[in-house]
Amino acid sequence: MPVLDWLNKGEAVKTARHVPYRLLQGVKNLSYGDADTENMLIQGDNLEALKALLPLYAGKVKCIYIDPPYNTKSAFEHYDDNLEHSQWLCMMYPRLELLRELLSEDGSIWVSIDDNEAHYLKVMMDEVFGRKNFITSVIWRKNYSPKSSARHFSEDHDYIVVYAKDAERWIPNPMPRSEKQDKAYKNPDND
């Protein structure tokens, strides 16, 4: 299987193993609701938070959705989305490894991304999750009108890359159709 290589990949591959385990500590004055639920809002470095969740949730998470930085070369109020390409890859790899450990055997991970890093992400996820566990790339439309300021093409979509921990065990859980949706379908020949 082809693998993606980049500057400092060796360090990125080792990063997940070397992140120290930390205990999660509740903060009473920031807590809300029933203390006996497993719901949490964790503030801090997400790599350290993922490692802290492993002893509690390894192999137990059915569905993970992440919306990582798209590496758009933009600066936002709360973070800079302008990493050098190999830095972005080094940031993503260990997080994907830890997320894989959190997934149950029939679990899946859904990752939002755009054209800037989508294809590199796909190859990296092939390596971390196994190419045979790739489910699909979902295209979601984000704009309904073309941008007249576009230099080349007016992009109107992003992607959600979907992998299963074990594609043989993963089964989608579709929402049942409503009566209103059923009425939109015609079956004149009863086939």
Side-chain angles (χ1 to χ4, degrees):
M1 173 180 78
V3 294
L4 188 61
D5 196 17
W6 65 88
L7 183 65
N8 297 328
K9 180 182 181 180
E11 291 172 32
V13 170
K14 295 176 192 171
T15 297
R17 282 187 302 240
H18 296 299
V19 174
Y21 284 99
R22 297 184 189 273
L23 291 175
L24 295 174
Q25 297 175 336
V27 179
K28 269 197 187 262
N29 63 337
L30 296 178
S31 295
Y32 181 79
D34 185 356
D36 294 331
T37 66
E38 295 185 33
N39 298 324
M40 288 183 269
L41 178 61
I42 301 170
Q43 182 178 350
D45 181 279
N46 60 19
L47 189 62
E48 291 177 357
L50 290 171
K51 190 77 173 220
L53 291 171
L54 280 178
L56 304 168
Y57 298 103
K60 296 180 181 178
V61 179
K62 180 86 170 174
C63 182
I64 296 171
Y65 171 79
I66 63 171
D67 185 15
Y70 286 12
N71 211 19
T72 60
K73 309 294 180 238
S74 303
F76 297 99
E77 184 179 342
H78 298 292
Y79 70 97
D80 188 6
D81 196 22
N82 187 17
L83 294 174
E84 195 276 322
H85 178 64
S86 63
Q87 289 177 308
W88 186 87
L89 295 167
C90 284
M91 175 198 69
M92 290 300 298
Y93 194 93
R95 286 159 177 81
L96 291 172
E97 281 189 321
L98 293 175
L99 289 164
R100 184 183 183 286
E101 288 184 49
L102 288 168
L103 279 177
S104 62
E105 291 302 313
D106 62 344
S108 61
I109 181 169
W110 304 59
V111 184
S112 288
I113 201 73
D114 72 359
D115 285 326
N116 287 298
E117 298 289 358
H119 302 87
Y120 295 99
L121 176 70
K122 165 74 169 78
V123 175
M124 188 184 329
M125 290 184 77
D126 280 349
E127 187 174 335
V128 173
F129 291 90
R131 188 178 175 123
K132 70 185 186 312
N133 294 314
F134 172 69
I135 302 297
T136 194
S137 287
V138 177
I139 296 172
W140 69 272
R141 191 168 182 187
K142 64 180 182 178
N143 294 325
Y144 287 94
S145 58
K147 292 181 184 175
S148 58
S149 61
R151 182 163 181 237
H152 296 112
F153 291 97
S154 179
E155 297 171 5
D156 67 350
H157 68 276
D158 283 343
Y159 306 93
I160 299 175
V161 181
V162 183
Y163 277 78
K165 185 167 188 178
D166 181 347
E168 295 295 316
R169 297 177 77 180
W170 182 77
I171 300 169
N173 186 15
M175 300 285 292
R177 282 201 324 238
S178 69
E179 200 173 301
K180 181 181 176 185
Q181 290 170 317
D182 283 343
K183 286 180 182 178
Y185 292 95
K186 306 287 185 238
N187 188 9
D189 57 359
N190 266 345
D191 63 352

